[in-house]
Amino acid sequence: MTTWRERHDAAVRKQDAAQKAYQEATDERAQALIDGEAELGTQAAVARELGVTRAGISRAINALKNKRQ
């Protein structure tokens, strides 16, 4: 049996791990979009290929570029 404090601390560790995994996946997605832009020529072409908005592509790419600065 565990105490509430142990359960809380375990949950915090899980949240931290999930947040780290989410951020890594977000960065990997943005890098893939950058690579797609290089291959297809424009963010609009990437957006058309994926069936999403160009604004979404731009936000993802800019977030990664800003993070790297």
Side-chain angles (χ1 to χ4, degrees):
M1 183 168 254
T2 60
T3 67
W4 68 268
R5 172 66 103 183
E6 291 168 333
R7 292 192 316 271
H8 170 270
D9 293 348
V12 168
R13 286 191 298 275
K14 285 181 183 179
Q15 286 177 318
D16 290 344
Q19 181 62 35
K20 183 179 179 197
Y22 174 79
Q23 191 57 57
E24 288 174 358
T26 299
D27 293 348
E28 290 170 5
R29 175 181 175 262
Q31 184 58 56
L33 294 171
I34 290 169
D35 296 344
E37 181 182 11
E39 182 178 320
L40 299 177
T42 65
Q43 290 180 5
V46 173
R48 278 192 301 276
E49 184 75 20
L50 296 175
V52 299
T53 66
R54 192 212 49 83
I57 302 293
S58 181
R59 276 192 305 272
I61 289 172
N62 288 336
L64 181 60
K65 286 181 179 178
N66 290 336
K67 182 179 177 181
R68 289 180 175 169
Q69 289 179 350

